[in-house]
Amino acid sequence: MDLNFSEDEIQRYARHILLREIGGSGQARIKAARVLIVGAGGLGSPLALYLAAAGVGVIGLVDADVLELSNLQRQIAHSTEAVGTPKVASAAAAMRRINPLVEIHTHDMRLDAANVSALIADYDIICDGTDNFPTRFMLADACVAGRRTLISAAVLRFEGQLSTFKPHADPAGPCYRCLYPEPPPEGLVPSCSEAGVLGAVTGVMGTLQATEVLKEITVIGASLSGWLLLWDALGAEFRKIRLRKDPACPVCGSL
Ligand SMILES: [Zn+2]
């Protein structure tokens, strides 16, 4: 591991390096990591900002959307001036303002079955910050097939959930399909654009997601593989429930 940090890096990451669990070797792991953020929205904003600030060496951002005024209530990587411009460009500019040392790859495109495998192959850890079930399921399946760690968060109204899926590295750990075998019938589960979401709830969940990314990179603490973290903001309650691998899962059962 390259521990050759510049004076700028030593000062910039001093509060990480002070942590016994991270130190110089953990910061070197962070610098060597490649993380893909799918969705530059409510979850993707704190992910992008904290991972850039933390010094993740290469960060990819995927989103095909153009910034709308209604996004700004929660998508804090963006600014009013950027309305009408691609979200990946706006988020990348905010990340570079925080940390010009990180390499940012913008993918202004919609993920589909034809491009997902090649895209995730370039990264170690994939963050799902999308807002629709077809993309979530496609990304989750591609991560199992491509043996990539998936850290997946979701929000709606005043609630959030978070888990890590890495059945390739944790044989007892489930994949997304062990938890949700099939997408819900269209229209059954409303989206944030239909049901609303408190902006700060997306910020908390995206920040928890960024924390789990940094834990996976530095291999510290308890992984959320095999666990689902649930947060009810109105009740101010967190719960952590055990997830079991489905031995008959068509996606990860053969791993
Ligand atoms: Zn599975």
Side-chain angles (χ1 to χ4, degrees):
M1 198 67 67
D2 176 18
L3 286 179
N4 244 339
F5 290 119
S6 67
E7 194 52 43
D8 178 313
E9 288 174 305
I10 290 169
Q11 286 189 36
R12 186 180 282 275
Y13 307 125
R15 300 300 184 277
H16 275 171
I17 294 169
L18 272 176
L19 292 168
R20 185 175 49 82
E21 293 82 353
I22 296 184
S25 62
Q27 191 62 45
R29 280 176 183 261
I30 295 170
K31 186 178 177 179
R34 306 174 65 93
V35 178
L36 180 68
I37 300 170
V38 183
L43 295 163
S45 286
L47 267 168
L49 299 180
Y50 273 118
L51 295 183
V56 170
V58 177
I59 304 173
L61 277 174
V62 195
D63 202 309
D65 288 344
V66 159
L67 187 65
E68 297 177 12
L69 196 55
S70 64
N71 298 149
L72 293 174
Q73 160 259 16
R74 63 200 176 285
Q75 302 184 14
I76 56 166
H78 308 292
S79 62
T80 304
E81 297 73 44
V83 168
T85 67
K87 280 191 189 179
V88 289
S90 163
M95 293 159 77
R96 289 192 183 103
R97 279 195 293 275
I98 292 176
N99 191 348
L101 303 178
V102 301
E103 190 177 322
I104 300 164
H105 297 174
T106 57
H107 307 279
D108 187 357
M109 59 192 241
R110 204 159 291 287
L111 270 194
D112 60 34
N115 61 28
V116 65
S117 302
L119 186 63
I120 68 171
D122 278 342
Y123 299 90
D124 312 313
I125 294 180
I126 315 300
C127 302
D128 180 359
T130 62
D131 57 359
N132 69 87
F133 287 108
T135 309
R136 280 187 183 278
F137 278 83
M138 182 183 64
L139 185 62
D141 292 352
C143 285
V144 176
R147 304 175 69 82
R148 291 293 182 271
T149 296
L150 173 67
I151 302 184
S152 182
V155 290
L156 192 64
R157 300 190 186 100
F158 298 94
E159 292 175 8
Q161 54 177 264
L162 175 66
S163 188
T164 295
F165 302 101
K166 49 173 187 179
H168 59 282
D170 174 10
C175 79
Y176 188 78
R177 291 261 187 187
C178 295
L179 178 58
Y180 302 112
E182 291 295 331
E186 211 169 315
L188 188 71
V189 179
S191 66
C192 288
S193 61
E194 293 158 340
V197 64
L198 191 75
V201 169
T202 63
V204 169
M205 295 312 298
T207 302
L208 286 171
Q209 200 175 3
T211 307
E212 293 305 317
V213 170
L214 294 167
K215 284 169 57 188
E216 292 291 335
I217 292 171
T218 52
V219 201
I220 60 171
S223 172
L224 274 183
S225 174
W227 295 92
L228 183 66
L229 186 70
L230 299 166
W231 180 44
D232 164 17
L234 287 182
E237 280 181 310
F238 279 98
R239 275 192 308 146
K240 195 172 147 186
I241 60 172
R242 199 84 177 99
L243 297 180
R244 302 277 171 207
K245 186 185 184 79
D246 174 5
C249 173
V251 176
C252 76
S254 61
L255 281 183

